[in-house]
Amino acid sequence: LFVCLFVTISVMLHSGLAVAAVFVGGVAVVGAAIVYVKNKYIEDKVGVDDDANKKRDITGGKNKSAEKIKEDVSVQLLKSAIHAKRVLKKLVEEPVLAGDSVQDDLLDTLWKHLKPNVKRDERVTKLWNQIGFQGTDPSTDFRGMGMLALRSLTRIATHHPEVIDRCLREDNDQYSYFFAIAGINLCQTLYGMLMEHGIFLNLLFQDNLKEDDHYVNSFVAALADTWLQFDTLYIQEISKYIADGGIPEIAIMQFENIRNKFTPLLEQRWLAAASSETTTFFIRMERTD
């Protein structure tokens, strides 16, 4: 292109068309620059050959600058966060329905891990109250959070015994609350926070695209951490409530107020982690087996 341009300008100069030559030369240079930038952009974003694709591989960028590697990592994080958001949203929109065999199996698993010594023969029974459901049919308590809440509760029961050991209390304990309902509410709190703050999605899902279960498991790991943090605040607030003359038997009625107080504290905790360059805060989140 530049060779052709040089020949064209030379001919025009010999013909006495100096001004026109300069004009044409300027236009041609600009045009050549635009074409080059355009092609370079397409090559960078889409890839035109195997070598280019290899250079964009963030696991093997030996010939890439630090800025380019950082850019590629950012793109991968963004893709992962977007995919995770879709996975979680889809589960929230999937209702928990009575009689669904897959969902019933999850409820059975939840029951067996929380109440291994209590036999439950019927699906609709008051026994569900023992693990913190409000009605005789647990499916009615999942409205609003759907399958994400059911899968989260079940995985908490099977993979996060620290939550069960600490937060599932007997009814006569002054610090007890409806365990299952609390889990659903905290699931809603965490989900809402992740959907509102994209930076938190990037923090939690620091991986390339993986199977959908990976994102659910990471979410539940974050929920386990959230639950333990909430429980600490709950004990503090109930202790203060009773010390100020509150009635222990109705202390559970403070749950929603404490949850509302907890939400901004949770956001502050995650923001602090986001502002630091350490992943220590997310060690618990890495339990995705």
Side-chain angles (χ1 to χ4, degrees):
L1 176 60
F2 287 103
V3 173
C4 293
L5 173 61
F6 177 79
V7 173
T8 301
I9 294 174
S10 298
V11 172
M12 296 180 74
L13 285 172
H14 287 310
S15 301
L17 301 177
V19 174
V22 172
F23 175 77
V24 172
V27 171
V29 168
V30 173
I34 292 174
V35 170
Y36 174 81
V37 171
K38 180 179 178 182
N39 290 339
K40 182 64 177 174
Y41 175 83
I42 294 174
E43 180 180 313
D44 284 346
K45 294 300 180 183
V46 180
V48 294
D49 53 42
D50 290 338
D51 290 337
N53 287 330
K54 289 178 182 178
K55 289 180 181 178
R56 273 184 295 279
D57 183 355
I58 64 172
T59 62
K62 294 182 180 179
N63 299 320
K64 296 164 62 176
S65 68
E67 285 300 319
K68 180 59 178 172
I69 293 175
K70 184 177 180 181
E71 177 186 345
D72 287 342
V73 170
S74 296
V75 170
Q76 290 296 336
L77 286 175
L78 179 60
K79 288 181 179 180
S80 183
I82 291 174
H83 185 65
K85 187 173 183 178
R86 290 172 180 166
V87 170
L88 299 180
K89 188 173 185 292
K90 182 178 179 181
L91 287 173
V92 167
E93 294 174 348
E94 182 180 349
V96 176
L97 304 172
D100 184 289
S101 60
V102 174
Q103 297 174 355
D104 284 350
D105 287 344
L106 289 174
L107 286 169
D108 286 340
T109 299
L110 176 64
W111 177 266
K112 290 175 182 177
H113 278 79
L114 298 185
K115 290 291 180 179
N117 300 320
V118 180
K119 187 178 181 180
R120 180 185 57 81
D121 295 323
E122 300 177 351
R123 186 186 181 283
V124 178
T125 172
K126 290 183 178 180
L127 289 176
W128 289 111
N129 299 155
Q130 294 185 19
I131 60 173
F133 286 104
Q134 291 181 322
T136 57
D137 183 356
S139 64
T140 61
D141 288 329
F142 289 98
R143 293 170 184 169
M145 290 308 295
M147 272 295 288
L148 179 61
L150 176 53
R151 288 189 59 176
S152 294
L153 280 181
T154 303
R155 187 167 175 85
I156 286 285
T158 57
H159 286 74
H160 295 277
E162 69 277 15
V163 176
I164 310 302
D165 295 341
R166 183 166 138 187
C167 304
L168 180 60
R169 303 183 177 95
E170 298 296 329
D171 291 340
N172 59 359
D173 190 314
Q174 67 182 17
Y175 299 117
S176 69
Y177 44 76
F178 295 112
F179 183 85
I181 295 300
I184 295 171
N185 284 332
L186 291 173
C187 180
Q188 183 181 46
T189 297
L190 179 61
Y191 173 78
M193 187 183 75
L194 291 175
M195 296 303 106
E196 183 178 354
H197 301 286
I199 188 173
F200 295 158
L201 282 169
N202 288 338
L203 283 172
L204 182 56
F205 304 109
Q206 297 185 17
D207 255 325
N208 294 331
L209 298 179
K210 292 196 174 185
E211 297 296 325
D212 290 357
D213 284 350
H214 169 82
Y215 297 103
V216 177
N217 296 345
S218 294
F219 175 84
V220 177
L223 176 60
D225 178 84
T226 298
W227 203 329
L228 294 175
Q229 296 299 318
F230 170 80
D231 192 74
T232 297
L233 178 66
Y234 186 83
I235 291 175
Q236 293 173 356
E237 292 296 314
I238 293 301
S239 297
K240 186 186 303 181
Y241 166 80
I242 295 175
D244 291 341
I247 304 173
E249 288 76 14
I250 61 172
I252 193 173
M253 296 179 66
Q254 301 298 311
F255 180 90
E256 192 60 27
N257 290 334
I258 298 174
R259 179 194 172 202
N260 291 335
K261 184 175 182 177
F262 173 72
T263 301
L265 297 176
L266 180 66
E267 292 184 356
Q268 291 173 17
R269 186 165 183 260
W270 279 62
L271 283 171
S275 63
S276 66
E277 296 185 358
T278 176
T279 57
T280 303
F281 172 69
F282 298 96
I283 290 177
R284 185 188 303 278
M285 312 333 180
E286 296 172 2
R287 291 185 50 185
T288 57
D289 55 314

